[in-house]
Amino acid sequence: MEIRRMVINDYSDVYELWMSCKDMGLNNIVDSQKGVEKFLERNPETSFVALIQGKIVGVIMAGNDGRRGYIYHTAVSPLHRHQGIGKQLVDKALEALYKLDIIKVALVVFDKNDVGNAFWEKQGFTTREDLVYRNKSLTRIERIDT
């Protein structure tokens, strides 16, 4: 198995991998090829793919805001799970973030994603009971003319 940095030319194969994973939550704007390209341009050193015989079987997208790291859309092909691929991807991303002086990492997993939640717990990520996750879509920003 080979792990290397993710590049935008990997998008089609990565998207196909995401589609093969149950409970993968994708957004048609930020997870489009254009959205992922923008993410990779901003975070060129921290997202990775795992390949077996030249085929992408795993992916992790990680980035940071200068203070904290964030992990998105980690996935391993259902046919290649339980081989340590996910752990190796996580370790690679965490190492890359640490080299950028990022010392705390966060991620979001759907509550119903039992497989994902079990994986992240095994990797040492804990659940924060003191936070409420909130978001707001900015696909259309209303302007007030003055």
Side-chain angles (χ1 to χ4, degrees):
M1 182 190 61
E2 169 194 0
I3 294 180
R4 65 162 170 77
R5 285 189 188 151
M6 182 180 172
V7 295
I8 195 57
N9 288 343
D10 296 325
Y11 180 79
S12 293
D13 293 333
V14 165
Y15 187 82
E16 183 179 322
L17 170 62
W18 287 336
M19 291 292 93
S20 74
C21 297
K22 182 181 176 204
D23 295 327
M24 195 81 201
L26 298 176
N27 176 292
N28 63 353
I29 296 173
V30 296
D31 298 323
S32 67
Q33 184 165 346
K34 183 177 179 181
V36 170
E37 182 172 27
K38 186 176 179 181
F39 182 87
L40 293 175
E41 287 172 0
R42 183 178 174 95
N43 302 281
E45 302 171 5
T46 52
S47 296
F48 298 92
V49 291
L51 299 99
I52 294 178
Q53 297 178 342
K55 180 170 174 48
I56 293 177
V57 297
V59 61
I60 187 168
M61 289 178 55
N64 77 87
D65 62 10
R67 297 178 54 237
R68 181 164 301 184
Y70 299 92
I71 293 176
Y72 306 93
H73 298 337
T74 304
V76 174
S77 162
L79 301 175
H80 293 89
R81 292 184 181 165
H82 308 291
Q83 299 176 28
I85 296 169
K87 179 180 180 3
Q88 289 180 61
L89 285 166
V90 171
D91 290 346
K92 191 79 168 171
L94 294 179
E95 179 183 326
L97 289 165
Y98 186 77
K99 285 180 181 177
L100 296 172
D101 294 324
I102 302 300
I103 60 170
K104 193 163 190 174
V105 180
L107 58 91
V108 175
V109 184
F110 285 114
D111 185 56
K112 67 180 182 179
N113 185 345
D114 295 331
V115 172
N117 281 298
F119 171 80
W120 289 113
E121 189 169 316
K122 191 173 180 182
Q123 303 311 307
F125 284 76
T126 59
T127 301
R128 296 279 307 256
E129 302 294 339
D130 59 331
L131 298 176
V132 174
Y133 178 78
R134 298 180 187 272
N135 78 37
K136 181 175 182 175
S137 178
L138 300 178
T139 55
R140 181 167 174 235
I141 298 175
E142 307 256 344
R143 295 186 61 164
I144 300 173
D145 292 326
T146 57

